[in-house]
Amino acid sequence: MDNAVTGRQDDTQARDGSADAQVHLDALREILDVINNSRDDERPVFDTLLRAANRLCGASTAGLLLGRPNDKHLTLAALQHTDDTENDASADRIARANTPPMDMDPAVHISARAICEGSVVHIADLAETDSYKAGVPSFKIMVEEMGQRSTLSVPVMDATGPIGAINLHRRTAGLFSESEISLINSFATQAVIAIENVRQFREVQTRLERERASSEILEVISQSRDDEGPVFDAILSNASHLCHAPIAGLVMVDDESKTYRLRASRGAKPEFVEAIEKNPPALDPERFAAARAIVEQRIVHVDDLASPNLYGADDKHRISTTQLEGIRTVLFVPLIWEQQSIGAIGLWRREVKPFSEDEIALVETFAAQAVIAIENVRQFREVQERLKREAATSEVLSIISQSRDDERPVFDTILKKAAELCSANQASLQLSNAERTHFGVAAYWGFEETAFQVGGSAPLDSGRPIPQVISTGCSMNIKDLSQSDHYLQKDQIITHVVDIEGIRSWLIVPLMKDKQAIGAIALSRREVKSFNEFEVALVETFAAQAVIAIENVRQFREVQERLEREAATSEILRVISQSQEDEAQVFDIILEKSVILCQADQSVLFLINAERTSMYLAAHWGHSRTEFSIGRSWPLEAAMSATEAIRSTLVQHILDFAETERYKSREEEAIQMVENEGIRTRLVVPLLRDGVAIGAIAMSRREVRAFAASEIKLAETFAAQAVIAIENVRQFKALERLNAELGERVEEQVGEIERMGRLKRFLPAAVADTVVSQGSDNLLKSHRALLGVLFCDIRGFTAFCETAEPEETIEVLQSYHEEMGALIAAHGAGVDTRAGDGIMVLFNDPLPCDDPAGDALRLGLAMRERMAELSKKWRRHGHRLGFGVGISLGYATVGMVGSAGRFDYTASGTAVNLAARLCDQAKDGEILLSPRAYTAVEDDFDAEPVGELTLKGIHAPVEVFRVLTES
């Protein structure tokens, strides 16, 4: 049995003298003075009280512990020793006795017994207790390490019951006297008074601080109309301070990703914030406390987040929260607006210390204020957005009123405003052609790298999102393009849009006219974020304005075209009246006007001969990729669109040459049109005189776009005017022939001139000029000459042709031959021959030069420099093309090769073959020289040996040199 006495006992060592009573009164008075001076801290009272208890009761140690019977643990509030020199050592022993925290266990701790029983616990000799003999650690420490023998524990009681205990220890066995117990009871009462005074003072201070915090937050709310960030910061700062939470955060629901994201934080480590931002937690109430608070719209209070029973031992968010930040106790209060959870405020403590009801109520107030701030900013932004949209709509309408003849300024403004107001990274406007077979990009806004090029064309039946919207007239709002079927099936265009441009969300709205889509507006984002209903409605408004602009411009252009056609007819009639001797001027003005007014790329006029056996080219207008020889003839029975129009006297309208059987069967004219000239759509109108065709006008487009009925009618008018001009000149010439006599000498001279003219029509210009200047055909005969030979071609062109569209191939070839042709002409080459992307250039024949190898190399360097610029330009369009050159010097056989009507001035021999093989071996950007060519230029150019190469068609290995720079 413990040697304990509960309640009052007779004290054999009672000290009832008046002197002792006075000392007790003095001690009580001292304690009351300290209480009066310690409004905000009870510790000075506790220390004074315990020192007096030690002194008056002859104790070596006195301590005050706080805790209620239902608490899990006791808290050591104060500790005093009689011998100050032992304070540190004794404090260490007491600390070890209380670590881990003392449980509220009457069987283990004497103070817990006094608190739980609500009565004095008095032990005369600790060494004789059952607890000590049983080896209870707290009893062993007090007896063996601290040397304590007798103990007195007096409960500290307030109106609700025990709230703690005062413990006294002596180093000698024996009971405390009744007066000493009474004194300690008085001290316990004074401790309660001190605790209550401080509690009330702190309560008032807390109330004042909370009122100040609320006032501060409301003031920030009033000043933050367009940004809730400052309000969030003020709320978290005050919540962290008033609730003694070192970390505070505010999260908002992300409806798109079904997660919640950290919008503001205070006190968290950067790596913890980064971890949350990189991996936003899902709205999963089974895994996350914040998610539970949001989804269930209730306060969630976790006493110890480190407990693996809460969310699983391997949960990465729980692990990062507890390990990165050391979080233990967590509180989440939901942000609720109109019965919907929009987020939560979270407070975190790095110790296991639950939040009080007052603290939770305070955070609820802060949550309400956060919701007010969010709603205020939302309403303010909504008003601002409405004003911006009204301003944008007004600006677009203003531009519409000013853009009568061009819809592009309207398109540009619409796309810019739509992208800005809808937070898009890219915007484009597409229009369908009249036949609804293709659509093209009419305007674009956004970053440079894009699959959409203004002026580009694509089929409407591809099934991709934009053509699908134009075909169906229904909008598409794609949340994540990387999850679409087109991307998953590796569609080339959609893969480029996602992987290269980084587009994820896409909104496409049709341009509707008469219940049919004539185009579409497309907006895209580089983040997964669907366009909301307000943004969709705004883009629909812009689409309607785009249609208005298109219709206004159409009507204006219709009037302008009518006036232009009338003016053109008037001008042609005027030229007819002035051109009695030559219909060429009339043909030129007719073809020029037909190209302009019918939006064609080129226009030609054919006439048939008097015997009606052949057709010849009489006039040409517009840009051509090949040389048109005026006078060139074709049999009238040839399979050509022009001869068909003449024979049938009917208009021939070919929508797409590339889709005709004539092209697919590889007929000459069709191949010439599609592959050399890039022609796709053609209109041929016969010239009719008395119902008989005497020729035809042919207009061509390099795009698949049918001629309108009004354009066909205008072409027929031009054809009639051409017939009038022909008839006028015929009548004038018939009259002139009656009055003119030409001498034989004149006829011979004219014949010679005509012969030389014909030479120029089928020979290279340089050769023809040389023949004419020498007045002899001998130069055309086969002969030997020392030549500088240059071969060049495009690297990667074959692979490019396999994947590129025909239009892209033709466009690259056109640019390539234009640029190389200009350099060839500038460097005075004698002859150049071209086949696809391959070019052969000859120096020193027929035009002699002093340095054929050097001239060829200078041309090669100029070509390489220009091709580097072209390749850079092509790479921006996704074309990976290079350029290589081979140059040789040697003798070759030169002369005319061909048959009637088609001759080429060319060369053959080892020097030519060697240059071609060196070109084949050259890598991108390389110029390779034969040994003889290197010897001829080594004083003027830097080159390095490549080594001996075995070349096809060359019997022995050849030492090859790579050109570096010009010396």
Side-chain angles (χ1 to χ4, degrees):
M1 291 291 294
D2 285 347
N3 198 7
V5 179
T6 58
R8 297 179 177 273
Q9 293 187 6
D10 293 334
D11 184 0
T12 58
Q13 301 176 357
R15 301 172 182 180
D16 295 328
S18 60
D20 290 342
Q22 185 59 44
V23 171
H24 291 181
L25 290 175
D26 291 342
L28 292 172
R29 189 178 297 110
E30 179 187 359
I31 294 170
L32 290 174
D33 289 340
V34 176
I35 288 174
N36 290 332
N37 295 322
S38 302
R39 297 185 304 165
D40 59 345
D41 187 2
E42 58 274 85
R43 286 177 299 179
V45 179
F46 294 163
D47 291 340
T48 301
L49 185 149
L50 295 181
R51 282 195 297 270
N54 277 339
R55 184 177 69 253
L56 298 177
C57 296
S60 60
T61 301
L64 189 146
L65 297 97
L66 296 179
R68 296 179 182 272
N70 293 329
D71 291 343
K72 292 182 179 180
H73 303 292
L74 289 161
T75 301
L76 181 62
L79 181 66
Q80 288 293 321
H81 303 281
T82 302
D83 187 351
D84 290 337
T85 61
E86 295 184 4
N87 275 340
D88 292 339
S90 298
D92 179 66
R93 287 194 292 268
I94 292 295
R96 284 191 286 114
N98 294 335
T99 303
M102 291 184 290
D103 293 331
M104 186 67 73
D105 186 350
V108 176
H109 298 293
I110 299 168
S111 52
R113 180 177 169 187
I115 293 170
C116 291
E117 295 178 358
S119 60
V120 173
V121 176
H122 195 179
I123 300 175
D125 191 351
L126 289 170
E128 296 299 325
T129 61
D130 293 340
S131 298
Y132 172 74
K133 294 176 180 179
V136 174
S138 58
F139 281 75
K140 298 283 286 185
I141 290 172
M142 284 191 291
V143 174
E144 297 177 3
E145 296 186 21
M146 299 176 62
Q148 305 294 354
R149 297 299 295 273
S150 60
T151 295
L152 173 67
S153 182
V154 177
V156 178
M157 310 281 287
D158 69 3
T160 62
I163 61 170
I166 296 175
N167 286 358
L168 268 67
H169 305 281
R170 289 175 177 161
R171 298 184 185 278
T172 58
L175 296 174
F176 287 80
S177 69
E178 188 172 323
S179 62
E180 289 172 335
I181 296 173
S182 177
L183 177 64
I184 301 306
N185 272 318
S186 299
F187 286 168
T189 300
Q190 290 176 320
V192 170
I193 294 171
I195 293 170
E196 182 62 17
N197 285 353
V198 171
R199 186 194 65 76
Q200 292 177 356
F201 179 81
R202 288 177 176 169
E203 190 176 84
V204 171
Q205 293 300 109
T206 299
R207 188 178 301 111
L208 293 174
E209 286 187 348
R210 292 181 178 181
E211 290 175 357
R212 178 199 55 75
S214 293
S215 177
E216 177 188 341
I217 293 169
L218 291 174
E219 182 178 356
V220 176
I221 289 174
S222 68
Q223 297 173 358
S224 303
R225 297 186 305 165
D226 60 344
D227 184 8
E228 59 274 87
V231 180
F232 293 167
D233 291 340
I235 286 174
L236 296 184
S237 175
N238 284 287
S240 177
H241 170 66
L242 296 176
C243 296
H244 308 290
I247 303 174
L250 188 145
V251 297
M252 296 283 289
V253 173
D254 185 345
D255 291 327
E256 288 287 337
S257 61
K258 302 301 181 186
T259 61
Y260 57 91
R261 298 179 179 271
L262 191 64
R263 291 289 303 278
S265 65
R266 180 180 179 83
K269 296 177 182 176
E271 54 267 31
F272 174 70
V273 174
E274 182 181 357
I276 295 298
E277 290 176 346
K278 281 186 176 180
N279 299 289
L283 279 173
D284 184 354
E286 298 299 324
R287 294 180 58 201
F288 305 113
R292 188 188 306 170
I294 294 170
V295 173
E296 298 178 3
Q297 298 187 9
R298 66 180 181 85
I299 295 169
V300 174
H301 191 185
V302 181
D303 289 352
D304 189 358
L305 193 64
S307 173
N309 297 326
L310 286 174
Y311 303 109
D314 59 346
D315 185 272
K316 62 180 180 180
H317 285 283
R318 184 187 68 82
I319 293 172
S320 65
T321 302
T322 55
Q323 292 185 356
L324 286 180
E325 280 292 353
I327 299 302
R328 301 300 293 271
T329 297
V330 177
L331 172 68
F332 285 104
V333 175
L335 308 180
I336 299 177
W337 172 252
E338 294 184 346
Q339 299 181 342
Q340 293 292 324
S341 290
I342 59 175
I345 292 177
L347 297 180
W348 293 266
R349 285 174 173 161
R350 293 190 176 96
E351 60 180 326
V352 179
K353 183 181 179 183
F355 291 87
S356 68
E357 292 183 0
D358 287 343
E359 291 170 333
I360 295 174
L362 177 63
V363 179
E364 287 183 291
T365 301
F366 288 153
Q369 291 175 322
V371 169
I372 292 172
I374 293 168
E375 182 60 16
N376 285 354
V377 171
R378 186 195 65 77
Q379 292 176 357
F380 178 82
R381 288 176 177 169
E382 191 174 89
V383 171
Q384 294 300 107
E385 288 294 323
R386 189 178 300 115
L387 293 175
K388 287 181 182 178
R389 292 177 181 181
E390 291 174 357
T393 300
S394 176
E395 181 178 347
V396 172
L397 292 174
S398 174
I399 294 176
I400 289 175
S401 67
Q402 299 170 13
S403 303
R404 298 183 304 165
D405 60 343
D406 187 2
E407 59 274 88
R408 287 177 298 180
V410 180
F411 294 166
D412 292 341
T413 302
I414 284 175
L415 296 185
K416 179 181 178 183
K417 294 299 180 182
E420 290 175 352
L421 295 176
C422 297
S423 301
N425 302 106
Q426 182 192 65
S428 61
L429 189 147
Q430 291 72 215
L431 293 177
S432 168
N433 63 358
E435 296 76 22
R436 295 186 63 77
T437 58
H438 290 73
F439 73 95
V441 181
Y444 173 80
W445 181 95
F447 42 81
E448 181 178 352
E449 179 61 53
T450 173
F452 304 102
Q453 299 296 330
V454 174
S457 178
L460 265 178
D461 60 358
S462 68
R464 298 185 182 110
I466 290 178
Q468 185 175 346
V469 168
I470 297 175
S471 300
T472 63
C474 298
S475 299
M476 293 184 69
N477 192 353
I478 303 172
K479 179 179 179 181
D480 189 352
L481 199 57
S482 68
Q483 300 301 313
S484 65
D485 291 340
H486 289 94
Y487 179 78
L488 298 176
Q489 294 168 6
K490 301 187 183 305
D491 179 274
Q492 181 180 1
I493 297 298
I494 301 303
T495 299
H496 182 281
V497 170
V498 175
D499 294 346
I500 304 301
E501 300 177 37
I503 296 305
R504 299 300 294 274
S505 295
W506 214 358
L507 171 65
I508 308 168
V509 173
L511 308 182
M512 301 299 295
K513 179 188 174 186
D514 300 330
K515 298 182 179 180
Q516 187 177 59
I518 61 172
I521 292 176
L523 268 65
S524 55
R525 288 172 174 157
R526 280 175 161 163
E527 61 176 327
V528 178
K529 184 180 180 183
S530 295
F531 291 83
N532 61 43
E533 57 181 336
F534 301 106
E535 292 167 335
V536 174
L538 176 63
V539 178
E540 289 174 345
T541 300
F542 284 144
Q545 291 177 322
V547 173
I548 293 172
I550 293 170
E551 184 62 16
N552 285 354
V553 171
R554 185 195 65 77
Q555 292 176 358
F556 179 83
R557 287 176 177 169
E558 195 173 83
V559 173
Q560 292 299 107
E561 287 174 1
R562 189 178 301 115
L563 295 174
E564 288 177 353
R565 290 176 182 180
E566 292 175 357
T569 299
S570 176
E571 183 177 353
I572 292 170
L573 292 175
R574 178 182 60 78
V575 175
I576 289 175
S577 67
Q578 297 173 357
S579 303
Q580 296 179 330
E581 301 179 8
D582 186 6
E583 62 271 85
Q585 294 184 18
V586 180
F587 293 166
D588 287 343
I589 191 68
I590 285 176
L591 296 185
E592 177 187 359
K593 296 301 180 182
S594 69
V595 166
I596 295 173
L597 297 179
C598 295
Q599 300 178 33
D601 293 295
Q602 60 177 231
S603 185
V604 294
L605 188 146
F606 299 102
L607 294 176
I608 63 172
N609 63 357
E611 295 78 18
R612 298 188 64 81
T613 58
S614 65
M615 172 189 74
Y616 65 91
L617 181 65
H620 169 265
W621 191 270
H623 175 69
S624 173
R625 296 173 181 172
T626 57
E627 183 178 355
F628 278 89
S629 300
I630 301 299
R632 178 183 175 183
S633 64
W634 296 264
L636 198 58
E637 298 303 319
M640 299 172 60
S641 55
T643 56
E644 177 64 25
I646 293 172
R647 290 195 303 266
S648 66
T649 69
L650 299 175
V651 173
Q652 302 293 310
H653 191 185
I654 302 171
L655 179 61
D656 189 355
F657 247 113
E659 296 298 325
T660 61
E661 289 299 325
R662 293 169 55 195
Y663 174 73
K664 294 178 180 178
S665 61
R666 310 300 290 172
E667 291 186 11
E668 181 180 352
E669 185 214 17
I671 295 173
Q672 167 74 14
M673 287 294 171
V674 176
E675 298 182 3
N676 294 349
E677 281 295 322
I679 298 302
R680 300 300 293 272
T681 297
R682 198 171 211 208
L683 173 68
V684 185
V685 177
L687 308 182
L688 299 176
R689 184 175 64 192
D690 299 329
V692 178
I694 60 172
I697 293 176
M699 294 183 290
S700 305
R701 287 173 174 162
R702 290 191 171 94
E703 61 175 325
V704 178
R705 181 163 63 92
F707 288 87
S710 59
E711 293 170 332
I712 296 174
K713 186 176 181 181
L714 179 61
E716 290 175 334
T717 301
F718 288 151
Q721 292 173 326
V723 171
I724 293 173
I726 293 169
E727 186 62 18
N728 285 353
V729 172
R730 185 190 66 78
Q731 292 175 1
F732 180 82
K733 288 183 176 179
L735 180 62
E736 190 178 55
R737 279 194 299 272
L738 294 175
N739 300 319
E741 293 182 0
L742 298 176
E744 182 178 346
R745 183 176 178 183
V746 174
E747 290 179 358
E748 291 176 356
Q749 292 176 343
V750 170
E752 181 65 17
I753 292 172
E754 289 178 349
R755 185 182 70 82
M756 292 305 174
R758 285 193 297 274
L759 283 175
K760 284 193 172 184
R761 285 198 294 271
F762 68 83
L763 290 176
V767 178
D769 288 341
T770 304
V771 172
V772 171
S773 65
Q774 294 182 359
S776 171
D777 295 342
N778 291 335
L779 185 62
L780 304 180
K781 297 178 181 179
S782 177
H783 61 280
R784 294 275 288 173
L786 176 65
L787 299 179
V789 184
L790 179 149
F791 268 79
C792 65
D793 63 12
I794 299 175
R795 294 291 171 268
F797 186 74
T798 301
F800 163 69
C801 291
E802 292 175 355
T803 59
E805 297 292 338
E807 294 87 349
E808 294 177 314
T809 305
I810 294 298
E811 182 178 354
V812 168
L813 273 178
Q814 179 67 20
S815 301
Y816 169 69
H817 282 296
E818 283 180 355
E819 296 293 338
M820 298 302 103
L823 293 175
I824 292 168
H827 283 73
V831 173
D832 68 274
T833 304
R834 310 181 189 188
D837 64 318
I839 300 176
M840 178 186 77
V841 185
L842 305 180
F843 285 84
N844 203 36
D845 190 280
L847 303 179
C849 63
D850 296 330
D851 183 15
D855 290 347
L857 181 50
R858 278 181 278 275
L859 173 60
L861 290 170
M863 285 178 162
R864 181 172 68 179
E865 180 179 358
R866 184 65 186 116
M867 278 300 294
E869 298 171 358
L870 288 177
S871 296
K872 183 178 180 181
K873 173 183 175 183
W874 292 334
R875 278 196 297 273
R876 289 199 297 269
H877 296 285
H879 310 329
R880 303 292 179 181
L881 299 175
F883 181 70
V885 178
I887 297 174
S888 69
L889 177 67
Y891 282 92
T893 300
V894 189
M896 291 300 301
V897 176
S899 59
R902 292 183 67 90
F903 286 94
D904 283 312
Y905 191 84
T906 187
S908 64
T910 302
V912 176
N913 188 31
L914 179 56
R917 299 310 176 201
L918 291 176
C919 177
D920 293 341
Q921 292 292 323
K923 299 178 182 178
D924 180 18
E926 281 191 343
I927 300 177
L928 299 182
L929 301 177
S930 70
R932 188 169 182 179
Y934 170 70
T935 302
V937 302
E938 64 179 341
D939 293 334
D940 299 322
F941 298 88
D942 291 332
E944 63 180 4
V946 177
E948 290 188 346
L949 300 180
T950 299
L951 304 176
K952 183 179 180 181
I954 307 298
H955 69 280
V958 178
E959 186 175 8
V960 177
F961 297 86
R962 180 188 298 112
V963 176
L964 300 176
T965 58
E966 187 171 358
S967 299

